[in-house]
Amino acid sequence: AQSVTQPDIHITVSEGASLELRCNYSYGATPYLFWYVQSPGQGLQLLLKYFSGDTLVQGIKGFEAEFKRSQSSFNLRKPSVHWSDAAEYFCAVGVGGFGNEKLTFGTGTRLTIIP
Amino acid sequence: GAVVSQHPSWVICKSGTSVKIECRSLDFQATTMFWYRQFPKQSLMLMATSNEGSKATYEQGVEKDKFLINHASLTLSTLTVTSAHPEDSSFYICSARGGVAGETQYFGPGTRLLVL
C-alpha cells in the first residue's frame, strides 16, 4: 500500500527566508504527487501536482516542487516566504489511474512565519 | 477556480442522534465526491468515494451503516453520521472532482462535528 511521510511536524521560518518542506512517498509504481495547503477555516487548496514529464513543477503562490524518483521524494520549495504562507501543508500521493486517483495524505507540516 | 461548500461548518449533537453534512460543488458538476475524516493534528483519511447515481465505495475499516453517503446529483453529496457517539467527533472534509481525466480534486472547508 502507498504511504506518505512528512518528517517535519512543525517548521518556523523568518519572513523572506527560503523554505523547503520534505515529503517522501512509498508506492510501487510511478506516483501522482500533490501538495496542498490548508488554512484555518478554508478548504485544502492545491499548490501543485506532478503526473509526468518535467520533474520540477511550478505551482501557485511562488511554490515549486521537485520529483526525485531515486529518493522517493517530492519536496516543496519557495525562495522567499511571506507571512501569508503560514498554514498547514500536506503532501499526497494519488493512486488508481490517471483521472481516477484516490489520495493518500501525509500527516502535514505546520509552517509558522516569524517577522 | 472551482468552489466546494459544506454545510454546516460545525455542529454539536447529543449522543445517539444522527447528523447530516452536505457537500456541494457550486460551479461545476462533480461526477465523483470524496469524504475524508481528519483528527486533530493528523492527516486526512479517506472514508469513501461516491459517484453520482451509484453506491459509495467505502475504505477498509469504515462502517457503511454508520456513515451513510448519498450522491444524488452532480452537485450534491451528503454524509449522514447515524447514531453518533463521542468517538465520531472529528473534522469531516469533502472533495469533488469533475469528469475530465486528470481533473483536480477541490476541497470543501470542512465540518467540525462534536458529539456530546
Side-chain angles (χ1 to χ4, degrees):
Chain A
Q2 68 280 359
S3 66
V4 179
T5 301
Q6 293 181 248
D8 304 305
I9 296 174
H10 184 203
I11 284 183
T12 299
V13 177
S14 298
E15 190 170 14
S18 63
L19 170 71
E20 183 169 34
L21 302 182
R22 296 184 290 166
C23 172
N24 292 96
Y25 69 90
S26 174
Y27 184 54
T30 300
Y32 303 128
L33 295 163
F34 305 80
W35 274 100
Y36 284 87
V37 59
Q38 185 182 36
S39 298
Q42 299 186 23
L44 275 75
Q45 181 181 22
L46 179 68
L47 289 175
L48 46 77
K49 60 186 177 184
Y50 171 78
F51 283 171
S52 64
D54 193 346
T55 56
L56 184 62
V57 181
Q58 301 297 320
I60 62 171
K61 303 185 179 185
F63 286 92
E64 67 177 26
E66 186 171 13
F67 170 56
K68 293 186 177 180
R69 185 188 303 274
S70 62
Q71 299 177 21
S72 298
S73 69
F74 189 56
N75 294 348
L76 182 71
R77 300 192 294 249
K78 186 170 185 178
S80 176
V81 298
H82 186 263
W83 63 267
S84 60
D85 293 325
E88 189 89 20
Y89 291 80
F90 290 94
C91 179
V93 60
V95 299
F98 184 69
N100 292 303
E101 61 274 359
K102 296 194 297 186
L103 300 178
T104 297
F105 286 85
T107 50
T109 298
R110 184 160 62 93
L111 175 64
T112 297
I113 307 296
I114 55 176
Chain B
V3 179
V4 175
S5 70
Q6 282 185 242
H7 179 79
S9 56
W10 61 273
V11 57
I12 302 173
C13 69
K14 293 182 179 180
S15 184
T17 61
S18 294
V19 175
K20 180 184 285 188
I21 302 170
E22 293 185 348
C23 176
R24 293 182 184 273
S25 56
L26 298 185
D27 49 5
F28 68 102
Q29 292 186 327
T31 55
T32 305
M33 286 185 168
F34 303 85
W35 286 95
Y36 296 83
R37 185 173 179 177
Q38 185 180 27
F39 291 101
K41 301 190 184 301
Q42 294 189 29
S43 183
L44 286 77
M45 301 296 294
L46 179 65
M47 299 174 64
T49 303
S50 73
N51 292 294
E52 185 265 339
S54 60
K55 289 184 177 180
T57 302
Y58 291 80
E59 296 299 302
Q60 191 173 9
V62 178
E63 300 175 59
K64 58 182 66 176
D65 294 331
K66 164 69 112 174
F67 300 100
L68 301 179
I69 292 172
N70 183 282
H71 191 167
S73 78
L74 285 172
T75 60
L76 174 65
S77 176
T78 60
L79 167 68
T80 301
V81 183
T82 62
S83 187
H85 289 93
E87 57 266 29
D88 298 324
S89 298
S90 191
F91 194 52
Y92 293 89
I93 301 173
C94 74
S95 71
R97 186 178 67 205
V100 177
E103 186 60 70
T104 300
Q105 283 187 39
Y106 296 97
F107 285 79
T111 296
R112 188 163 302 282
L113 170 63
L114 177 61
V115 184
L116 302 177

